[in-house]
Amino acid sequence: MTELHATQVAARPRATASPLGPVALTTLLFGAFLPMLSFFIINVALPAIGSDLHASSGELQLVVGSYGIANATLLVVGGRLGDGFGRKRLFLIGLTGFTVMSLICAIAPTIGVLLAARVVQGAAAAAMTPQVLASITSLLTGEHRARAMAMFGVAGGAAAALGQILGGVLVEADVFGLGWRAVFLVNVPVGVLALAAAIRLLPETKANQTHRVDLVGAALLALTLVLLLLPLTEGRPLGWPLWTWLCLAATIPAVAVLGLHQHRAEQSGQAPLIPPTVLRLRAMRIGLLLAVAFFTTFGGFMFVFALATQGEAHMSPLEGGLSLLPMAVGFLITSIYGPRLQQRYGASLILRGWLVQAVGYAVLAVVALTLWPDVNPWKLAVPMLIAGFGSGLVMVPLMGVVVGQVPPAQAGLGSGILLTSQQTCLALGAATVGTAYLALAGTSWGQGGALAAVALAITAVSLLMTPVTHQLRSRA
């Protein structure tokens, strides 16, 4: 991503003297809201997509994963391009591409077209999202900046929590017979309005110092993710042919080559995609471990929950979405009050979140084991509320706490690495957790037992992360 600490307003000195107006800030925050919404709104529509486009379970995983891979690979590249060519310009390019690709997704006649459009949609989101944080940091100061950063967290949290509920409503309503296509089409009018407002209201900013884009690093990261995620998503339905094992084995040398390239790029004075010196910071190592644990399990759970509720439980898309309403409520509460709680409790707030989340998923496992498939939104409400509250306590303060323990000169790079890991692990969760769930669901465990197993696994991960989180209490 971009080095947020080194940014200054260019060409418009007047913009540094006055903060963004409320309409301009809201427009900018759509760059955080829409990409996250698009990741989660799709989950509840997956069964309908599979039925309409005759897609396999592996292809449905790729509908989620392909977007995440493209987004994760290009986030840092998008930030660097914004530094050099102008953040407003990159924001407009990204928002335009995201809107157009949303329309193409909505009218996709085959699963192949849908997957291709999702890749480009993820790339467009990667051009847009980094400009939000960079613009906030360069245009605002003091209380205005703190409030805008808090709103950035709320935007992402709201999108994650409300995405599947909105998806369920749109699929169930079947507006004009669109069915699942409405979950993509809803982005189009919002994108057009945001685009018109951004052209008029957003000031242009650039970084005082720019760095060459590490295209080789981006290509190596993309190759590594494809080698890892493609066999994990396609291996099970295809019976694990030889090529899947060869791809998985090739992941190891791919990681080694990526690491070597990043080290050499940094040693030669270039700006690598993932700087090794930042990864060597104690707070960053801990933060990355926490991010991997949370976003992999969270992304995987959202994927399997939609399949389970619309499978043996025979819920409609609307009922499946409404089952997530208590989680959304808990998530939104922590998104709103999280910044204030973070100031008071610091890293211990994340630790509390892991414990609360563990309780929620443990209760969900009990419900799935004892009541399945006779479940409905009401019977799932209590565990989903607890899990949502705990998830919000982990996710909302995570980036602020970790980056706050990184030296200011490396804070921007730390934020970019954490955002990249977020998108990577959301895609990884759909591939790994989704594959494990689908494998168990096809046995005597059934979908209820498989969902319970996933919930218990997340409970175990949450408990394992509590001693790791405790280490964040001391300064790096």
Side-chain angles (χ1 to χ4, degrees):
M1 197 180 159
T2 178
E3 287 90 348
L4 302 181
H5 61 281
T7 55
Q8 293 181 355
V9 179
R12 289 196 182 185
R14 187 165 60 92
T16 60
S18 60
L20 287 167
V23 178
L25 178 59
T26 301
T27 301
L28 191 62
L29 289 173
F30 271 112
F33 180 83
L34 286 176
M36 188 66 79
L37 179 74
S38 187
F39 189 94
F40 287 102
I41 197 174
I42 190 66
N43 284 322
V44 76
L46 290 175
I49 293 174
S51 176
D52 188 30
L53 298 183
H54 308 290
S56 68
S57 58
E59 289 170 328
L60 293 180
Q61 286 176 283
L62 284 176
V63 171
V64 178
S66 59
Y67 176 89
I69 292 173
N71 191 249
T73 302
L74 297 173
L75 268 172
V76 177
V77 174
R80 294 270 165 79
L81 289 174
D83 286 348
F85 294 101
R87 302 191 182 97
K88 176 179 179 178
R89 180 179 299 175
L90 262 291
F91 183 87
L92 295 176
I93 291 172
L95 181 57
T96 300
F98 184 88
T99 304
V100 171
M101 286 303 109
S102 295
L103 177 60
I104 294 177
C105 287
I107 62 176
T110 66
I111 189 64
V113 173
L114 178 60
L115 289 174
R118 286 286 281 175
V119 170
V120 182
Q121 188 185 37
M128 175 171 53
T129 304
Q131 318 317 324
V132 181
L133 282 174
S135 295
I136 287 173
T137 303
S138 62
L139 291 169
L140 302 177
T141 59
E143 182 182 348
H144 294 293
R145 180 189 292 179
R147 186 181 299 114
M149 292 293 286
M151 292 176 67
F152 177 87
V154 172
L162 296 176
Q164 294 191 191
I165 299 173
L166 178 60
V169 171
L170 291 173
V171 175
E172 184 76 10
D174 195 22
V175 181
F176 303 119
L178 291 171
W180 62 267
R181 299 178 187 276
V183 303
F184 293 109
L185 202 59
V186 70
N187 293 329
V188 176
V190 177
V192 170
L193 290 175
L195 188 63
I199 292 173
R200 181 176 179 181
L201 299 175
L202 292 185
E204 182 64 279
T205 66
K206 293 182 180 180
N208 190 40
Q209 292 181 332
T210 59
H211 299 275
R212 183 178 179 182
V213 177
D214 184 13
L215 294 178
V216 175
L220 288 172
L221 177 59
L223 175 64
T224 302
L225 293 176
V226 171
L227 288 173
L228 175 64
L229 298 181
L230 184 61
L232 287 176
T233 55
E234 296 298 310
R236 188 199 60 82
L238 295 177
W240 298 103
L242 178 61
W243 70 265
T244 60
W245 297 108
L246 292 176
C247 285
L248 288 173
T251 302
I252 298 175
V255 171
V257 172
L258 173 62
L260 180 62
H261 170 75
Q262 297 299 279
H263 177 74
R264 288 181 173 176
E266 191 170 55
Q267 289 294 104
S268 63
Q270 302 176 26
L273 194 72
I274 308 173
T277 53
V278 178
L279 293 180
R280 284 195 288 268
L281 295 171
R282 177 173 173 271
M284 278 303 304
R285 294 197 306 270
I286 297 172
L288 280 173
L289 179 58
L290 297 176
V292 169
F294 178 79
F295 290 112
T296 301
T297 54
F298 185 72
F301 175 77
M302 288 297 190
F303 176 81
V304 304
F305 187 80
L307 297 182
T309 52
Q310 295 183 56
E312 290 177 354
H314 301 297
M315 290 189 192
S316 66
L318 177 59
E319 289 174 324
L322 289 177
S323 296
L324 289 165
L325 181 59
M327 174 174 274
V329 171
F331 210 107
L332 285 176
I333 291 174
T334 52
S335 294
I336 294 171
Y337 293 102
R340 188 182 308 171
L341 293 172
Q342 178 185 331
Q343 290 182 347
R344 180 175 180 180
Y345 295 106
S348 65
L349 181 65
I350 302 175
L351 189 148
R352 289 173 168 85
W354 286 118
L355 294 174
V356 174
Q357 176 176 280
V359 172
Y361 282 110
V363 176
L364 176 62
V366 172
V367 172
L369 287 172
T370 57
L371 300 180
W372 200 270
D374 185 25
V375 294
N376 56 44
W378 288 108
K379 294 178 180 179
L380 296 171
V382 172
M384 297 302 288
L385 177 63
I386 299 172
F389 190 71
S391 297
L393 290 177
V394 174
M395 178 180 171
V396 173
L398 180 59
M399 182 175 295
V401 168
V402 174
V403 175
Q405 298 191 25
V406 171
Q410 295 166 310
L413 289 171
S415 299
I417 292 173
L418 285 174
L419 283 174
T420 299
S421 69
Q422 177 192 58
Q423 294 301 317
T424 300
C425 292
L426 288 173
L428 182 64
T432 56
V433 179
T435 296
Y437 165 83
L438 291 168
L440 284 175
T443 67
S444 59
W445 286 61
Q447 293 182 358
L451 179 62
V454 169
L456 289 174
I458 298 176
T459 300
V461 170
S462 301
L463 294 176
L464 288 172
M465 288 301 106
T466 54
V468 178
T469 307
H470 185 74
Q471 298 180 45
L472 278 176
R473 292 185 177 183
S474 59
R475 300 290 292 184

